[in-house]
Amino acid sequence: MRVLQIIDSLDAGGAERMAVNYANALGDKIEFSGIVVTRKEGVLKNQLGDKVAYYFLNKKKVIDFKAIKLLKNIIVKNNIDILHAHGTSFFTAFLLKTICFKIKIVFHEHNGDRSNQSFFKNLPLFICLFFFRKVLVVNKQIESWFHQIGIKKASYFPNFASLESNDTQKTFLNGQEGKRIVCLANLREPKNHSVLIKAFAQLNLKEEGWSLHFVGKNHQDFYSENIIKLTKELNISDCVSLYDSKSDISNILSQTTIGVLCSTYEGFPVTLLEYGLASISVISSNVGFCSEVIIPNKTGLLFKSNEVDDLAFNLNKLVNDIGLRTILSTNLNTLVRDNYSKEKVVSSLVSVYKTAINEV
């Protein structure tokens, strides 16, 4: 079997990390595993394994004939059976299908807010879906929504996390050991970093030696400017650090005590699985698939999205109870390894590919 993942960039986002994870994991399982990036390279390129073939299209516009022709050449040269399109790359995959009829396309929807978008915003996707063999979605809610609009070939497919890396980058977190709170999320909506800043300040954790660390793409825009402004207004700027995109996630989490996810919506956040593999205690907003991974008072704590007081209440519980942190982190690690292991998910994915290839 010969499979090519396609993704628009290799910035450190959820869909991008999953595309890299699949490419790496398949390298040991199938005859050929590759990944093609359409628009922009990024820090995740450093995480690609030696057995993964890498290609870059350098696509400059929505319909870029030169890029599509290059993609077709890659498909033909490597005799690709399956093109696995992640997120917004679905349109490039569709364009390829118009000139490369035999290719089988599996589309992977990572957008947890898809069902809340307007019909007209989703219309390009609806049209393209008719040309795809399989549609994989990251939680049951999105699966149900696809079925309701008549896309019966959509099915839920779990993510998995991997902290394996070939990267030599070494990030050192500021702050006191044992008192670091990390949020792995790009600096943009709907990641909602401000609610964590407010909760941190409300608990006066600065005076207790705790520090806050945001690891994710910083676009140097209005969103990040507001974060910096808020930390100054609340007089905690000296204990809040922004690190931009990083690829040495395992190294970063080894320096972390508490992991937080604050999003107002999510599909299936890989971040929670990474927190689990790193055996740190977790607080998450109760959105998307999060409650399937974070079981209150068993594998972590949940708070109502966008409610500062609720987050502060739960954060205070973890900060002041080492025993609770140990129990939650151990249970989460066990849940992730038992239910979202690389071996189990990749085996299921290979079965999906085989079905797509054999369908008439």
Side-chain angles (χ1 to χ4, degrees), residues 254-278:
S254 71
Q255 304 170 62
T256 301
T257 307
I258 297 172
V260 183
L261 185 72
C262 310
S263 307
T264 54
Y265 68 81
E266 282 285 354
F268 187 148
V270 184
T271 293
L272 294 183
L273 302 183
E274 292 175 332
Y275 288 163
L277 287 180

PDB file of all heavy atoms in Angstrom, residues 254-278:
ATOM      1  N   SER A 254       7.957  17.900  29.764  1.00  0.00           N
ATOM      2  CA  SER A 254       8.726  17.303  30.869  1.00  0.00           C
ATOM      3  C   SER A 254       9.048  18.349  31.937  1.00  0.00           C
ATOM      4  O   SER A 254       9.405  17.997  33.068  1.00  0.00           O
ATOM      5  CB  SER A 254      10.017  16.683  30.339  1.00  0.00           C
ATOM      6  OG  SER A 254      10.944  17.680  29.927  1.00  0.00           O
ATOM      7  N   GLN A 255       8.918  19.635  31.589  1.00  0.00           N
ATOM      8  CA  GLN A 255       9.185  20.726  32.528  1.00  0.00           C
ATOM      9  C   GLN A 255       7.897  21.305  33.112  1.00  0.00           C
ATOM     10  O   GLN A 255       7.928  22.304  33.825  1.00  0.00           O
ATOM     11  CB  GLN A 255       9.946  21.847  31.806  1.00  0.00           C
ATOM     12  CG  GLN A 255      11.241  21.411  31.139  1.00  0.00           C
ATOM     13  CD  GLN A 255      11.816  22.497  30.243  1.00  0.00           C
ATOM     14  OE1 GLN A 255      12.155  23.584  30.702  1.00  0.00           O
ATOM     15  NE2 GLN A 255      11.931  22.212  28.949  1.00  0.00           N
ATOM     16  N   THR A 256       6.768  20.661  32.800  1.00  0.00           N
ATOM     17  CA  THR A 256       5.449  21.209  33.102  1.00  0.00           C
ATOM     18  C   THR A 256       4.781  20.480  34.258  1.00  0.00           C
ATOM     19  O   THR A 256       4.923  19.266  34.417  1.00  0.00           O
ATOM     20  CB  THR A 256       4.547  21.111  31.856  1.00  0.00           C
ATOM     21  OG1 THR A 256       5.152  21.844  30.790  1.00  0.00           O
ATOM     22  CG2 THR A 256       3.161  21.658  32.126  1.00  0.00           C
ATOM     23  N   THR A 257       4.009  21.220  35.062  1.00  0.00           N
ATOM     24  CA  THR A 257       3.254  20.631  36.163  1.00  0.00           C
ATOM     25  C   THR A 257       1.783  20.467  35.821  1.00  0.00           C
ATOM     26  O   THR A 257       1.179  19.432  36.093  1.00  0.00           O
ATOM     27  CB  THR A 257       3.383  21.510  37.427  1.00  0.00           C
ATOM     28  OG1 THR A 257       4.772  21.726  37.703  1.00  0.00           O
ATOM     29  CG2 THR A 257       2.721  20.850  38.626  1.00  0.00           C
ATOM     30  N   ILE A 258       1.195  21.490  35.210  1.00  0.00           N
ATOM     31  CA  ILE A 258      -0.235  21.471  34.868  1.00  0.00           C
ATOM     32  C   ILE A 258      -0.397  21.893  33.414  1.00  0.00           C
ATOM     33  O   ILE A 258       0.219  22.870  32.967  1.00  0.00           O
ATOM     34  CB  ILE A 258      -1.044  22.422  35.773  1.00  0.00           C
ATOM     35  CG1 ILE A 258      -0.956  21.976  37.234  1.00  0.00           C
ATOM     36  CG2 ILE A 258      -2.505  22.493  35.326  1.00  0.00           C
ATOM     37  CD1 ILE A 258      -1.573  22.968  38.217  1.00  0.00           C
ATOM     38  N   GLY A 259      -1.223  21.163  32.660  1.00  0.00           N
ATOM     39  CA  GLY A 259      -1.544  21.517  31.283  1.00  0.00           C
ATOM     40  C   GLY A 259      -2.983  21.981  31.187  1.00  0.00           C
ATOM     41  O   GLY A 259      -3.879  21.384  31.798  1.00  0.00           O
ATOM     42  N   VAL A 260      -3.203  23.044  30.431  1.00  0.00           N
ATOM     43  CA  VAL A 260      -4.546  23.624  30.315  1.00  0.00           C
ATOM     44  C   VAL A 260      -4.933  23.772  28.849  1.00  0.00           C
ATOM     45  O   VAL A 260      -4.102  24.091  27.995  1.00  0.00           O
ATOM     46  CB  VAL A 260      -4.625  25.006  31.007  1.00  0.00           C
ATOM     47  CG1 VAL A 260      -6.048  25.567  30.947  1.00  0.00           C
ATOM     48  CG2 VAL A 260      -4.169  24.900  32.465  1.00  0.00           C
ATOM     49  N   LEU A 261      -6.209  23.522  28.560  1.00  0.00           N
ATOM     50  CA  LEU A 261      -6.796  23.791  27.247  1.00  0.00           C
ATOM     51  C   LEU A 261      -8.037  24.639  27.482  1.00  0.00           C
ATOM     52  O   LEU A 261      -8.915  24.247  28.257  1.00  0.00           O
ATOM     53  CB  LEU A 261      -7.173  22.489  26.536  1.00  0.00           C
ATOM     54  CG  LEU A 261      -7.682  22.636  25.097  1.00  0.00           C
ATOM     55  CD1 LEU A 261      -6.531  23.000  24.163  1.00  0.00           C
ATOM     56  CD2 LEU A 261      -8.337  21.347  24.626  1.00  0.00           C
ATOM     57  N   CYS A 262      -8.116  25.806  26.834  1.00  0.00           N
ATOM     58  CA  CYS A 262      -9.169  26.780  27.150  1.00  0.00           C
ATOM     59  C   CYS A 262     -10.140  27.048  26.003  1.00  0.00           C
ATOM     60  O   CYS A 262     -10.971  27.947  26.091  1.00  0.00           O
ATOM     61  CB  CYS A 262      -8.549  28.127  27.525  1.00  0.00           C
ATOM     62  SG  CYS A 262      -7.266  28.045  28.748  1.00  0.00           S
ATOM     63  N   SER A 263     -10.058  26.307  24.932  1.00  0.00           N
ATOM     64  CA  SER A 263     -10.762  26.635  23.700  1.00  0.00           C
ATOM     65  C   SER A 263     -12.273  26.770  23.885  1.00  0.00           C
ATOM     66  O   SER A 263     -12.883  26.094  24.726  1.00  0.00           O
ATOM     67  CB  SER A 263     -10.495  25.556  22.645  1.00  0.00           C
ATOM     68  OG  SER A 263      -9.119  25.353  22.479  1.00  0.00           O
ATOM     69  N   THR A 264     -12.870  27.608  23.042  1.00  0.00           N
ATOM     70  CA  THR A 264     -14.329  27.739  23.034  1.00  0.00           C
ATOM     71  C   THR A 264     -14.979  26.690  22.147  1.00  0.00           C
ATOM     72  O   THR A 264     -16.169  26.435  22.253  1.00  0.00           O
ATOM     73  CB  THR A 264     -14.752  29.143  22.552  1.00  0.00           C
ATOM     74  OG1 THR A 264     -14.140  29.410  21.274  1.00  0.00           O
ATOM     75  CG2 THR A 264     -14.311  30.206  23.548  1.00  0.00           C
ATOM     76  N   TYR A 265     -14.221  26.087  21.250  1.00  0.00           N
ATOM     77  CA  TYR A 265     -14.663  24.887  20.535  1.00  0.00           C
ATOM     78  C   TYR A 265     -13.443  24.083  20.110  1.00  0.00           C
ATOM     79  O   TYR A 265     -12.354  24.614  19.946  1.00  0.00           O
ATOM     80  CB  TYR A 265     -15.556  25.214  19.326  1.00  0.00           C
ATOM     81  CG  TYR A 265     -14.887  25.924  18.170  1.00  0.00           C
ATOM     82  CD1 TYR A 265     -14.139  25.229  17.227  1.00  0.00           C
ATOM     83  CD2 TYR A 265     -15.032  27.300  17.999  1.00  0.00           C
ATOM     84  CE1 TYR A 265     -13.532  25.874  16.156  1.00  0.00           C
ATOM     85  CE2 TYR A 265     -14.431  27.956  16.930  1.00  0.00           C
ATOM     86  CZ  TYR A 265     -13.699  27.246  16.013  1.00  0.00           C
ATOM     87  OH  TYR A 265     -13.102  27.880  14.954  1.00  0.00           O
ATOM     88  N   GLU A 266     -13.640  22.782  19.958  1.00  0.00           N
ATOM     89  CA  GLU A 266     -12.570  21.867  19.550  1.00  0.00           C
ATOM     90  C   GLU A 266     -13.192  20.700  18.791  1.00  0.00           C
ATOM     91  O   GLU A 266     -14.385  20.408  18.942  1.00  0.00           O
ATOM     92  CB  GLU A 266     -11.809  21.323  20.766  1.00  0.00           C
ATOM     93  CG  GLU A 266     -10.799  22.269  21.378  1.00  0.00           C
ATOM     94  CD  GLU A 266      -9.525  22.405  20.549  1.00  0.00           C
ATOM     95  OE1 GLU A 266      -9.389  21.678  19.548  1.00  0.00           O
ATOM     96  OE2 GLU A 266      -8.666  23.241  20.900  1.00  0.00           O
ATOM     97  N   GLY A 267     -12.357  20.035  17.990  1.00  0.00           N
ATOM     98  CA  GLY A 267     -12.769  18.787  17.376  1.00  0.00           C
ATOM     99  C   GLY A 267     -12.349  17.655  18.299  1.00  0.00           C
ATOM    100  O   GLY A 267     -13.105  17.201  19.149  1.00  0.00           O
ATOM    101  N   PHE A 268     -11.117  17.222  18.144  1.00  0.00           N
ATOM    102  CA  PHE A 268     -10.507  16.218  19.018  1.00  0.00           C
ATOM    103  C   PHE A 268      -9.095  16.707  19.278  1.00  0.00           C
ATOM    104  O   PHE A 268      -8.181  16.417  18.512  1.00  0.00           O
ATOM    105  CB  PHE A 268     -10.506  14.855  18.324  1.00  0.00           C
ATOM    106  CG  PHE A 268     -10.048  13.708  19.192  1.00  0.00           C
ATOM    107  CD1 PHE A 268     -10.576  12.446  19.013  1.00  0.00           C
ATOM    108  CD2 PHE A 268      -9.091  13.871  20.182  1.00  0.00           C
ATOM    109  CE1 PHE A 268     -10.162  11.367  19.791  1.00  0.00           C
ATOM    110  CE2 PHE A 268      -8.662  12.821  20.975  1.00  0.00           C
ATOM    111  CZ  PHE A 268      -9.205  11.560  20.768  1.00  0.00           C
ATOM    112  N   PRO A 269      -8.889  17.483  20.346  1.00  0.00           N
ATOM    113  CA  PRO A 269      -7.578  18.117  20.564  1.00  0.00           C
ATOM    114  C   PRO A 269      -6.466  17.129  20.864  1.00  0.00           C
ATOM    115  O   PRO A 269      -6.487  16.420  21.870  1.00  0.00           O
ATOM    116  CB  PRO A 269      -7.836  19.046  21.758  1.00  0.00           C
ATOM    117  CG  PRO A 269      -9.021  18.465  22.440  1.00  0.00           C
ATOM    118  CD  PRO A 269      -9.866  17.844  21.373  1.00  0.00           C
ATOM    119  N   VAL A 270      -5.482  17.074  19.986  1.00  0.00           N
ATOM    120  CA  VAL A 270      -4.313  16.230  20.184  1.00  0.00           C
ATOM    121  C   VAL A 270      -3.562  16.655  21.442  1.00  0.00           C
ATOM    122  O   VAL A 270      -2.921  15.842  22.110  1.00  0.00           O
ATOM    123  CB  VAL A 270      -3.370  16.310  18.961  1.00  0.00           C
ATOM    124  CG1 VAL A 270      -2.198  15.353  19.098  1.00  0.00           C
ATOM    125  CG2 VAL A 270      -4.133  16.039  17.680  1.00  0.00           C
ATOM    126  N   THR A 271      -3.678  17.930  21.789  1.00  0.00           N
ATOM    127  CA  THR A 271      -3.000  18.465  22.964  1.00  0.00           C
ATOM    128  C   THR A 271      -3.326  17.665  24.220  1.00  0.00           C
ATOM    129  O   THR A 271      -2.443  17.378  25.029  1.00  0.00           O
ATOM    130  CB  THR A 271      -3.388  19.943  23.166  1.00  0.00           C
ATOM    131  OG1 THR A 271      -2.861  20.716  22.090  1.00  0.00           O
ATOM    132  CG2 THR A 271      -2.850  20.488  24.477  1.00  0.00           C
ATOM    133  N   LEU A 272      -4.594  17.284  24.394  1.00  0.00           N
ATOM    134  CA  LEU A 272      -4.973  16.533  25.593  1.00  0.00           C
ATOM    135  C   LEU A 272      -4.282  15.173  25.628  1.00  0.00           C
ATOM    136  O   LEU A 272      -3.886  14.695  26.696  1.00  0.00           O
ATOM    137  CB  LEU A 272      -6.496  16.350  25.650  1.00  0.00           C
ATOM    138  CG  LEU A 272      -7.323  17.622  25.831  1.00  0.00           C
ATOM    139  CD1 LEU A 272      -8.808  17.276  25.933  1.00  0.00           C
ATOM    140  CD2 LEU A 272      -6.877  18.400  27.069  1.00  0.00           C
ATOM    141  N   LEU A 273      -4.146  14.552  24.468  1.00  0.00           N
ATOM    142  CA  LEU A 273      -3.460  13.267  24.404  1.00  0.00           C
ATOM    143  C   LEU A 273      -1.971  13.442  24.715  1.00  0.00           C
ATOM    144  O   LEU A 273      -1.362  12.598  25.388  1.00  0.00           O
ATOM    145  CB  LEU A 273      -3.636  12.635  23.026  1.00  0.00           C
ATOM    146  CG  LEU A 273      -5.080  12.399  22.561  1.00  0.00           C
ATOM    147  CD1 LEU A 273      -5.084  11.687  21.209  1.00  0.00           C
ATOM    148  CD2 LEU A 273      -5.875  11.612  23.586  1.00  0.00           C
ATOM    149  N   GLU A 274      -1.394  14.528  24.240  1.00  0.00           N
ATOM    150  CA  GLU A 274       0.027  14.799  24.520  1.00  0.00           C
ATOM    151  C   GLU A 274       0.231  15.069  26.010  1.00  0.00           C
ATOM    152  O   GLU A 274       1.219  14.596  26.596  1.00  0.00           O
ATOM    153  CB  GLU A 274       0.505  15.977  23.677  1.00  0.00           C
ATOM    154  CG  GLU A 274       0.563  15.652  22.191  1.00  0.00           C
ATOM    155  CD  GLU A 274       0.909  16.847  21.325  1.00  0.00           C
ATOM    156  OE1 GLU A 274       0.600  17.987  21.721  1.00  0.00           O
ATOM    157  OE2 GLU A 274       1.470  16.632  20.229  1.00  0.00           O
ATOM    158  N   TYR A 275      -0.686  15.818  26.609  1.00  0.00           N
ATOM    159  CA  TYR A 275      -0.609  16.014  28.059  1.00  0.00           C
ATOM    160  C   TYR A 275      -0.642  14.665  28.778  1.00  0.00           C
ATOM    161  O   TYR A 275       0.096  14.429  29.728  1.00  0.00           O
ATOM    162  CB  TYR A 275      -1.795  16.859  28.549  1.00  0.00           C
ATOM    163  CG  TYR A 275      -1.767  18.324  28.186  1.00  0.00           C
ATOM    164  CD1 TYR A 275      -2.936  19.090  28.262  1.00  0.00           C
ATOM    165  CD2 TYR A 275      -0.604  18.971  27.787  1.00  0.00           C
ATOM    166  CE1 TYR A 275      -2.951  20.438  27.961  1.00  0.00           C
ATOM    167  CE2 TYR A 275      -0.601  20.328  27.471  1.00  0.00           C
ATOM    168  CZ  TYR A 275      -1.783  21.059  27.560  1.00  0.00           C
ATOM    169  OH  TYR A 275      -1.797  22.401  27.249  1.00  0.00           O
ATOM    170  N   GLY A 276      -1.540  13.780  28.304  1.00  0.00           N
ATOM    171  CA  GLY A 276      -1.673  12.471  28.930  1.00  0.00           C
ATOM    172  C   GLY A 276      -0.416  11.633  28.813  1.00  0.00           C
ATOM    173  O   GLY A 276       0.027  11.014  29.788  1.00  0.00           O
ATOM    174  N   LEU A 277       0.179  11.605  27.623  1.00  0.00           N
ATOM    175  CA  LEU A 277       1.408  10.842  27.433  1.00  0.00           C
ATOM    176  C   LEU A 277       2.547  11.382  28.300  1.00  0.00           C
ATOM    177  O   LEU A 277       3.418  10.631  28.738  1.00  0.00           O
ATOM    178  CB  LEU A 277       1.834  10.872  25.962  1.00  0.00           C
ATOM    179  CG  LEU A 277       1.005  10.033  24.982  1.00  0.00           C
ATOM    180  CD1 LEU A 277       1.565  10.174  23.575  1.00  0.00           C
ATOM    181  CD2 LEU A 277       1.002   8.561  25.391  1.00  0.00           C
ATOM    182  N   ALA A 278       2.518  12.685  28.555  1.00  0.00           N
ATOM    183  CA  ALA A 278       3.567  13.314  29.364  1.00  0.00           C
ATOM    184  C   ALA A 278       3.304  13.186  30.861  1.00  0.00           C
ATOM    185  O   ALA A 278       4.130  13.609  31.676  1.00  0.00           O
ATOM    186  CB  ALA A 278       3.701  14.789  28.987  1.00  0.00           C
TER     187      ALA A 278
END
